């Protein structure tokens, strides 16, 4: 059970009220979920058929994902627009309602504390769909300290994602043709189970799809069943963010690929940062990083190997005897072979650079590549 | 595997760099840990021999616990004393170095955001040994917003606990007789593996013991081995906070027994709150709660049953047809029979009150009792 090359493989997660179940957990467990992680103090499935089989199903059919752990931090009140702009270097001055904005959050040193999707619900009313850190505390602390007039809460909102090439077909069958007209990273309010719910064309894969922001926990089972019933002939099945697909797509995981010490430029998010234009936390630090260029940056890797062990803890990347970076995720892709994501020091960022990855199975040649990966 | 009466029982936790391993994880896994929870984005063991066998071993021998997930939030700088006092209704004006202070943290409404042990390392230098929420973000947010001059960081400090009736014998063997003179909830600096480390007489059980604040992750394995080697004839073994023992002892778990909506009076922590004396967040709200008495409060329960199912999600407590409270933890104690912890509405707080618990196995009679439990 405890294989030293596969740390904590197979060890059970203990049920606890502190690790919250989601409105969909009963369905997820009835569908034989094989693994969980914990994200924002909540269960998040990691596998149903095994990572490889999940990948093939996701890339060919359509899946229903319990991503309730993408909690919403609601910021509402007279100073909400000002607070949210203070929290991110992304320029929100032209933010329109119903547009999803990927908005890295930074502290006074420019370090990234989370990388939510920010949605302006209306003037002075935002939802931040967060990665795994307690931004509700950060936002409340900032507001209290500075005297901003806002309410910062976690509403009863639990996203369910529909992902895969047949997502369009499935969602229009279940909820009507109108949704098909949503553009990528746009959101609108639609009738779902007798309520108005926000739906966005978004999700944590590059296979296309939607996220439905369920706003009544009691309806979790019904929402899950709605899609499962409507998609039987589409081979719909349960799913979850997939390690192989997310590496191919270059979807950076906050806390896994980046640490609390990285800045958004290191995370490869320069295009979402406009510290010169806005009055945000870390403005000076971010301007200076943007000018000098970050010391390290996220890149893809292609490994010369037919076999990679699991990489839960990170592997060192070396150039001869010099530290060149840290590999945070790796997997065997049916499309690309051995692939990974790494935080690479600035001297080695050029696509094609050859480095050595120190895996538990020994050194493996790795070549720097761009993200998302392309043949 | 997925038994509806035991939600998420047996489902594996997926290895991830985002869920941090501890300096002791390799030893914990070599010792055949059976379950994990996630606490402050870090692994925390939940069982080695099963909860019952762990309980008997803890109450009769001595255990070494990986409680590295009790992360330290270090607050240091000219305004550190002022910031920490602003964060807690506990009166810190006479806080001496080397004394562990249980210090609930509250927001502007008096809601409890965490319940750390606060240790004043020296003037304007604190460690908050936190429960499971990102207080590093809360403290940084408050400081930034209000312009306090402090550094808020998570240092490389990972507590290892020695718990059980033979803890005194084990620690003095391993680290010298001086430590025996430490009083309960006092801390001092001692020589450990060639470094000075903080050691406190404290821990998350009522069996007596110590917490060693390991301050160099690289020494985790050595520290674990030091105690395991020194205690062979004491029947030393691995352990972890134990469900049965912590219910008997009335050790309230933030996030499990209390929610983010509870205040410290509801959590039963009135004796650590002095909102009338200090300038803290939520001062007015807390004074008003203290005056009127809380609407509900933590109590123990004794069940009239020989058998209880696991209680991971909470059970309702009723007085005939009226809601009387919520049970957050329950277990069969070898000493007391069926026991639990509940947040009980104010009309039912009196010790001896008889209520009905709605368990998945049907209704069970429950009698309110004081905590810690006594025969």
């Amino acid at each position: 059970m405890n294989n030293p090359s596969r740390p904590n493989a197979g060890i059970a997660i203990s049920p606890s009220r502190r690790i919250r179940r989601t409105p969909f957990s009963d369905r997820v467990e009835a569908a034989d979920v094989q693994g969980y992680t914990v994200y924002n103090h909540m269960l998040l499935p990691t596998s149903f058929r095994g990572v490889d089989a999940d990948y093939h199903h996701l890339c060919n059919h359509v899946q229903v994902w319990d991503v309730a752990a993408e909690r919403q931090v609601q910021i509402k009140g007279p100073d909400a627009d000002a607070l949210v702009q203070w929290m991110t270097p992304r320029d929100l001055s032209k933010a329109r309602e119903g547009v999803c904005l990927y908005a890295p959050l930074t502290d006074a040193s420019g370090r990234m504390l989370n990388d939510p999707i920010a949605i302006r619900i209306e003037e002075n009313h935002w939802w931040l769909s967060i990665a795994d850190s307690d931004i509700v505390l950060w936002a409340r602390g900032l507001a209290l300290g500075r005297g901003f007039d806002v309410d910062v809460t976690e509403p009863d909102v639990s996203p369910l994602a529909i992902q895969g090439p047949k997502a369009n077909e499935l969602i229009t069958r279940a909820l009507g043709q109108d949704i098909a007209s949503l553009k990528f990273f746009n959101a609108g309010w639609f009738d779902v189970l007798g309520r108005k719910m926000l739906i966005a064309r978004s999700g944590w894969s590059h296979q296309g799809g939607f996220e439905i922001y369920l706003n009544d926990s009691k309806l979790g089972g019904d929402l899950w069943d709605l899609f499962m019933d409507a998609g039987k002939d589409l081979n719909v099945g349960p799913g979850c963010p997939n390690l192989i697909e997310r590496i191919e797509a270059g979807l950076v995981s906050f806390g896994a690929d980046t640490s609390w010490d990285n800045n958004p430029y290191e995370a490869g998010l320069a295009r979402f940062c406009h510290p010169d234009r806005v009055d945000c936390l870390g403005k000076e630090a971010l301007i200076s990083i943007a000018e000098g260029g970050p010391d390290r940056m996220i890149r893809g890797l292609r490994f010369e190997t037919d076999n990679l062990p699991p990489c839960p803890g990170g592997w060192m990347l070396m150039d001869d005897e010099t530290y060149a970076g840290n590999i945070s995720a790796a997997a065997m892709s049916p499309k690309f072979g051995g692939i990974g994501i790494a935080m690479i020091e600035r001297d080695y960022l050029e696509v094609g650079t050859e480095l050595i990855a120190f895996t538990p199975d020994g050194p493996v040649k790795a070549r720097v590549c761009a993200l998302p990966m392309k043949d």
Side-chain angles (χ1 to χ4, degrees), chain A residues 107 228 235:
Chain A
D107 70 9
M228 288 298 182
N235 194 11

Side-chain angles (χ1 to χ4, degrees), chain A residues 290-305:
Chain A
E291 282 172 1
D295 292 335
R296 56 196 65 80
M297 210 191 289
I298 286 285
R299 282 285 187 272
L301 286 178
R302 302 282 292 271
F303 297 99
E304 280 187 25
T305 179

Side-chain angles (χ1 to χ4, degrees), chain A residues 262 265-267 294-298 343-346 349:
Chain A
N262 291 127
Y265 294 94
E266 292 173 341
D295 292 335
R296 56 196 65 80
M297 210 191 289
I298 286 285
M343 184 65 78
I344 297 183
E345 298 299 302
R346 69 188 298 165
L349 289 171

Side-chain angles (χ1 to χ4, degrees), chain A residues 9 17 30 53 78 105 108-109 136 149 177 182 202 237 244-245 256 262 264-265 269-270 282 290 317 334 346:
Chain A
R17 198 159 169 249
L105 307 184
S109 314
V136 71
D149 185 2
Q177 281 300 327
L182 265 184
S202 59
I244 303 168
E245 205 273 346
N262 291 127
Y265 294 94
L269 306 180
L317 202 53
R346 69 188 298 165

Side-chain angles (χ1 to χ4, degrees), chain A residues 340-363:
Chain A
I341 289 181
M343 184 65 78
I344 297 183
E345 298 299 302
R346 69 188 298 165
D347 288 349
Y348 307 98
L349 289 171
E350 205 174 317
V351 166
T353 305
E354 283 203 5
L355 298 165
I356 300 292
F358 283 80
T359 82
D361 293 353

